[in-house]
Amino acid sequence: MRACHGVLPQERVVGGDFEVSLSVEYDISRAMATDDVADTLSYADLSDLVRREMAVPSNLLEHVAGRIARAIVQRWPEVQSVNLSITKLNPPMGADCDGAGVELYLINDKTQ
């Protein structure tokens, strides 16, 4: 996905390509029994939330990851944990690499 994160002014104007990987832990037993989409988390809603947060420019990917994880547990308090990685593809850092990024694992204390 395209977004405008980075500390360099050009990154905030031109933007760059990012890869986001997300998994959430929550109790799926009700959905397993009912086969009803109302009893699970909507992948589309999670994707929309990630897209909205990625559209807000930040200097640091750590900040973006924190915003996304906090927004998920605020919107869905039943989520037990969030595992999220954000990678900036082809970062402007003068190194020969495919990407640089962060990974965050957040445990929702309110479900424990």
Side-chain angles (χ1 to χ4, degrees):
M1 94 180 22
R2 194 95 178 142
C4 295
H5 306 303
V7 295
L8 301 175
Q10 180 180 352
E11 294 176 285
R12 302 295 285 279
V13 174
V14 176
D17 293 320
F18 295 82
E19 183 176 275
V20 179
S21 178
L22 172 68
S23 63
V24 295
E25 179 184 2
Y26 63 99
D27 183 0
I28 64 169
S29 59
R30 186 166 170 88
M32 287 170 44
T34 66
D35 195 30
D36 187 340
V37 71
D39 293 329
T40 191
L41 295 181
S42 163
Y43 304 144
D45 291 344
L46 282 165
S47 181
D48 287 345
L49 183 146
V50 168
R51 242 188 309 284
R52 278 194 310 273
E53 291 298 332
M54 287 294 289
V56 178
S58 290
N59 289 327
L60 303 176
L61 293 182
E62 293 86 345
H63 187 255
V64 181
R67 275 199 334 261
I68 292 170
R70 286 189 304 272
I72 289 170
V73 297
Q74 183 175 27
R75 169 67 179 83
W76 295 283
E78 67 273 21
V79 166
Q80 297 163 354
S81 66
V82 175
N83 191 0
L84 171 70
S85 68
I86 304 174
T87 303
K88 181 183 291 191
L89 305 176
N90 197 21
M93 57 187 215
D96 186 20
C97 66
D98 291 333
V102 298
E103 185 170 344
L104 174 142
Y105 182 73
L106 177 98
I107 296 173
N108 185 2
D109 296 346
K110 296 175 183 163
T111 64
Q112 305 303 319

